[in-house]
Structures are given as structure tokens and as C-alpha cells.
Amino acid sequence: MIAYLRGVVRHLDEVSVVVDVAGVGYEVILPSIEAKALRTRLHRESEAMDVEGRDVALWTYYHVAERQPRPLLIGFHERQNREFFELLLSVAEIGPTLAARSMTIPVCDYAGAIERRDVRTLGTLPGIGKRKAEQIVASLKGKALSFALLPPPEIDEIPEAAVEDYMADVEAVLEGLGYKRVEAVRMIEAARRRRPEIADVQSLLEEIWSGERPG
């Protein structure tokens, strides 16, 4: 069991970080909100935009399954966030990958939605939908209150140039799939109106596909 890692960042993107611990590189999957919080913290500690070589500490969840023999490490910058993640795993049909993928909003907001029975908000989270949102509320209502009281993470706004860069990447993906530029722009703008907090390629694409599904 690997529960905690402390080392040096070798690579960081929207979905994972590689941490060098005594010469061994551990790839750690990061929920979207954790990646944003980690990048903010590392940038605030130094004026340099490049985070490679910076010290990092993560609480981790170690997972290995019979059908997925490759071990999976999922990282969190606070122990309470890992505990909330583990609470999500107690819900039927919510596995580690789905739980991590759904964590695109602060834990306090996620837990608050559970305690308010806010199925609509929960249903918009990646991979959740209405049925799983109802399952989460039925299973966890009354168990998430302490997490709802946690302070939100500090996350810096993405510079406009960076926003334009990742939107251009999404536009290129859509055009590569056969959409005309005007269609791609329309889809991107609609997704950002629905979820203005989105700040990375993967989350924006997921919101686009969710919004384009019929019914």
C-alpha cells in the first residue's frame, strides 16, 4: 500500500503528475480539481511557470484490480480529500476511476451538493448522470457534512493566453473529427456557458460530448 508520496515533480499535466522519489518515478493520476490546486500552489511558491523540479507531497490511494493488473495511484493534496474520495467508493457502481474523474469541483462543493440532495449539480459531474447522482445522495446523505465544511482550495485564474491555447487544442480535436470550424466554436462556447469553471482540454471535451447527447 502506498498512502503518501513526497518527492520532486518531473512532469505535471491536467490529469497526472510524475513524482521522483529517491530516483523512482511514480505516475499519479490527479482528479481535475486536485491538478488545478497543485499547479496553483507550485506556481505561487515560485514565479517560474515551469513546475518541473519542484518539491511536492501527495496523499495517495493505491488501487489494483484483477481485470486491471497495472497498479493505479490517485493523488490528493489534502488527506481529507482522499477520505472524501474513499467515501465515494462506498457507493455501488462507483469505482476509483469514475470517482476521480467526477472530482472536477472542490470537495466542499461536492459534499455540499450531497447534503442538499442537489441531484442536478451532481448529475452534471463527468461520468455521474442522474441515476448515479441519486445513488450517491441515497448512500451518502448525512455522511458528507464534515467535508462540506472544508475550505475551498486556492485556485488561480488561468491567464487569457492559456485559455485561448487550450480552446484552440479542443477546436483542433473537433475539426479532426470532421466538424466545421463554425460548428466547433459553437460547441465550445455552449460547453463553456454551461460550465464556465472548466479550464482544461479533457474536461471541456467531456462537457461538449455530454451536451451534444440527445435528451
Side-chain angles (χ1 to χ4, degrees), residues 61-149:
Y61 178 87
Y62 179 87
H63 175 70
V64 60
E66 188 174 323
R67 289 179 297 176
Q68 182 184 322
R70 180 187 178 190
L72 184 68
L73 274 178
I74 301 172
F76 307 87
H77 72 289
E78 296 289 351
R79 179 174 52 82
Q80 295 95 326
N81 293 0
R82 185 186 67 181
E83 291 173 356
F84 178 76
F85 168 84
E86 292 172 332
L87 184 65
L88 289 176
L89 298 184
S90 68
V91 180
E93 299 182 26
I94 304 290
T97 301
L98 177 55
R101 181 182 169 206
S102 74
M103 293 178 69
T104 59
I105 59 176
V107 164
C108 57
D109 293 341
Y110 202 142
I114 293 172
E115 293 299 328
R116 295 192 308 272
R117 300 181 185 271
D118 188 351
V119 171
R120 182 175 181 179
T121 293
L122 294 172
T124 66
L125 300 177
I128 299 302
K130 182 180 179 181
R131 185 177 67 84
K132 284 191 175 69
E134 291 172 343
Q135 287 179 321
I136 290 172
V137 170
S139 300
L140 303 184
K141 175 71 170 70
K143 301 178 182 178
L145 182 58
S146 62
F147 299 103
L149 300 176

Side-chain angles (χ1 to χ4, degrees), residues 101 124 126-127 169-179 183-184 186-188 190-192 194-195 198 201-215:
R101 181 182 169 206
T124 66
D169 290 341
V170 173
E171 186 177 319
V173 170
L174 295 174
E175 290 181 6
L177 292 173
Y179 291 97
E183 293 175 323
R186 175 189 62 76
M187 294 163 72
I188 291 170
R192 294 194 72 213
R194 292 191 300 269
R195 298 278 305 283
I198 287 178
V201 171
Q202 181 179 351
S203 297
L204 183 54
L205 283 171
E206 288 174 350
E207 179 59 29
I208 287 171
W209 305 143
S210 175
E212 292 297 313
R213 290 194 199 110

